[in-house]
Amino acid sequence: MPQPDLVLGVDIGTTATKAVAFAPDGTDHGHGEAPHHLDEPEPGAAVQDPEALWEAVGDAVRDAVAQVDPGRIAALSFSSAMHGLLALDARGDPTGPLLTWADSRAADVARELRAREGALALHRRTGTPIHPMSPLVKLAWLRRARPSLHAAAHTWGGIKEFVLARATGARVADTSCASGTGLLDLATGAWDPEALAIAGITADALGEPVATTAVVGELRARDWGLPAGVPVVAGGGDGPLANLGVGAVRPGVAACSIGTSGALRIAVERPAVDPRGRVFCYGLADRRWVVGGAITNGGLVLDWARETLHRDVDDLLAAADAVPAGADGLLALPHLLPERAPHWDIGGAGALVGLHRRHTAGHVTRALLEGVCLQLRLVLDSLREAGLAVDEVRATGGFARSALWRRLLTDALDLPVGFPTVDQGSAFGAALLGMQGVGLLPPGPDGLVDAAEQIPLGETLRPGPDAAVHAARLPLFEQLHDVLGDVTAELGT
């Protein structure tokens, strides 16, 4: 019999589940992927079928396991998209769809809660901005808008809590995903009484908070291609685990990702947010949290340009690359969907400012991409306002396939940006937690940090002359957000 030396990192994302059999050095020994469908049955809704997600997890795991000797799998460990909310009955079965982070129907409730006295204190205590993405705000909205559904739920959780319970029988909530609910007190590690009261639930309706490295049980699912009794480790949220999975775990090193959306995060040893409440703080592992901000509009702006301008992505990127920095005076606020960090907008809209007849599809595309990178620069500046030094960035995501976009990000952030060779950061981060949970890595934060920092970089870029162009435009970019907010409010957009 082979010795178990691999851990299966299972990342349940918004668009797909990915399962990868990792060795401690980050080597991929087998992987599987199963896509997801996002439903939008009414304005603002963004929901998924939890049973379909469960099937996708099984499909991805089976495909990965089929490529290795199952006896080598020491454990499974999970990552998932954060901020989802799912109502469950007394048997642990879903009573409705999963409300994803992108569901914005709780916007009016979020506005009311943000206006309450003590709103910032609640944000600081729980680490989660008061925003429609937050399960706290979703619960308060359901209590008002769907009272029968709210009252009928026996328990609440996210997609990972549901998968862990069905796979092992354990009703738990890892402290990483729990810290993104707006319901967990980061200092105590317990559910926050004020947040529970706003949500209209009790602590009994939520899973027991457990460490991200905790072995929560043995695998019960018999059709995943694994032998009975494989340990299952809780894992964490996809954002914090991306930091771990790309080696951004030391002070001064931030992780940046741009896929459909985007984020910039840095690991810290004590939980905190900035005085203005512009950043979040979520759990990672023992004595490690991540502070940062997520942006809604990342790669989706390129999708919008492709659909609107009727050009394929490669053509648009080539045209944008031929345009100088600053897009010949065209400035884009790329808020096609209500933006999150650092302003945590509940409404809002985008804009193209300075548009002239001379501007082409290449100008529009370049301005949109520059706008995404400037939005991430605002998040970076908010981290610095929180007293956190950021000296370098490690970046992942689909954007990194574009040489132009890699340069734009490096120049906009005005920092060295490295691109790790591991392209499944959240899955590898989950696997590292699993390795520590079953003893393949030394205990404590140093064991995780030392393992994560072994991830090699394939390329490191340094800021060039265009960094000065982006720095000069940054104040105008933020001013445009402030001015446009009044206009869009009048327009009702």
Side-chain angles (χ1 to χ4, degrees):
M1 286 285 292
Q3 281 292 104
D5 61 344
L6 306 176
V7 169
L8 203 63
V10 184
D11 180 27
I12 311 170
T14 304
T15 59
T17 288
K18 300 172 184 178
V20 187
F22 282 110
D25 64 358
T27 306
D28 173 351
H29 288 259
H31 57 272
E33 182 171 346
H36 302 161
H37 180 65
L38 187 69
D39 294 315
E40 300 176 84
E42 62 178 278
V47 301
Q48 292 181 306
D49 178 357
E51 296 291 354
L53 296 180
W54 167 259
E55 293 298 327
V57 170
D59 290 343
V61 169
R62 278 190 296 273
D63 288 348
V65 171
Q67 299 166 44
V68 299
D69 184 332
R72 295 183 63 187
I73 303 298
L76 288 83
S77 184
F78 287 83
S79 163
S80 75
M82 303 180 77
H83 313 302
L85 180 68
L86 182 61
L88 303 167
D89 63 20
R91 298 184 305 274
D93 293 328
T95 63
L98 172 75
L99 278 62
T100 71
W101 64 269
D103 196 299
S104 62
R105 288 175 290 178
D108 288 343
V109 173
R111 289 188 186 93
E112 293 176 17
L113 292 176
R114 286 176 71 89
R116 282 171 42 122
E117 184 178 354
L120 183 55
L122 180 63
H123 176 181
R124 289 176 177 169
R125 208 163 57 245
T126 65
T128 305
I130 296 175
H131 186 271
M133 72 176 185
S134 162
L136 163 65
V137 179
K138 290 184 175 78
L139 281 164
W141 170 73
L142 286 170
R143 186 183 189 186
R144 176 188 300 179
R146 308 283 196 274
S148 58
L149 190 156
H150 186 281
H154 182 73
T155 59
W156 298 90
I159 189 60
K160 187 144 75 67
E161 289 89 340
F162 166 61
V163 169
L164 288 175
R166 185 169 282 186
T168 69
R171 194 165 73 85
V172 297
D174 75 80
T175 52
S176 177
C177 286
S179 67
T181 63
L183 297 160
L184 190 77
D185 186 318
L186 296 182
T188 66
W191 300 115
D192 185 84
E194 181 189 358
L196 292 172
I198 292 170
I201 62 173
T202 64
D204 292 341
L206 301 169
E208 175 191 358
V210 297
T212 56
T213 55
V215 176
V216 300
E218 297 180 347
L219 183 65
R220 292 181 176 182
R222 298 186 182 280
D223 62 344
W224 286 6
L226 289 165
V230 173
V232 176
V233 174
D238 58 353
L241 289 189
N243 274 64
L244 182 61
V246 301
V249 284
R250 294 277 187 192
V253 183
C256 180
S257 58
I258 307 176
T260 302
S261 56
L264 186 73
R265 305 165 301 268
I266 191 165
V268 297
E269 297 180 0
R270 295 177 184 82
V273 300
D274 64 300
R276 291 198 285 171
R278 288 188 152 206
V279 296
F280 58 61
C281 182
Y282 300 146
L284 171 55
D286 179 35
R287 288 173 282 163
R288 284 293 185 278
W289 290 261
V290 297
V291 175
I295 67 170
T296 302
N297 300 280
L300 71 83
V301 305
L302 194 55
D303 291 337
W304 176 84
R306 172 181 53 80
E307 295 165 0
T308 304
L309 301 174
H310 305 291
R311 301 267 295 274
D312 68 40
V313 167
D314 289 341
D315 285 347
L316 288 172
L317 289 172
D321 202 12
V323 173
D328 283 332
L330 184 61
L331 181 64
L333 192 69
H335 298 178
L336 304 181
L337 293 175
E339 194 47 274
R340 290 182 285 171
H343 300 104
W344 301 101
D345 288 339
I346 294 168
L352 288 167
V353 177
L355 186 64
H356 288 277
R357 186 177 180 180
R358 69 176 183 274
H359 289 131
T360 65
H363 290 89
V364 171
T365 303
R366 183 169 188 120
L368 288 168
L369 299 185
E370 289 181 348
V372 171
C373 295
L374 289 173
Q375 191 73 33
L376 287 165
R377 174 59 185 267
L378 293 181
V379 176
L380 171 64
D381 290 348
S382 296
L383 290 174
R384 289 168 168 161
E385 287 180 24
L388 301 172
V390 183
D391 305 315
E392 63 176 285
V393 175
R394 294 191 171 197
T396 58
F399 90 103
R401 291 190 290 269
S402 164
L404 167 64
W405 209 341
R406 293 198 300 271
R407 291 199 313 273
L408 286 180
L409 180 69
T410 303
D411 289 338
L413 297 182
D414 199 14
L415 285 171
V417 178
F419 297 87
T421 56
V422 173
D423 63 356
Q424 300 295 342
S426 295
F428 185 50
L432 288 173
L433 293 178
M435 290 170 196
Q436 190 170 73
V438 297
L440 295 179
L441 291 179
D446 289 342
L448 287 173
V449 169
D450 290 344
E453 290 190 328
Q454 302 307 307
I455 300 301
L457 296 179
E459 178 185 37
T460 298
L461 297 180
R462 299 189 179 278
D466 289 346
V469 176
H470 299 303
R473 289 164 72 84
L474 185 66
L476 296 175
F477 182 80
E478 185 155 29
Q479 183 182 352
L480 177 59
H481 168 273
D482 296 339
V483 171
L484 190 64
D486 295 335
V487 175
T488 55
E490 286 290 325
L491 292 173
T493 61

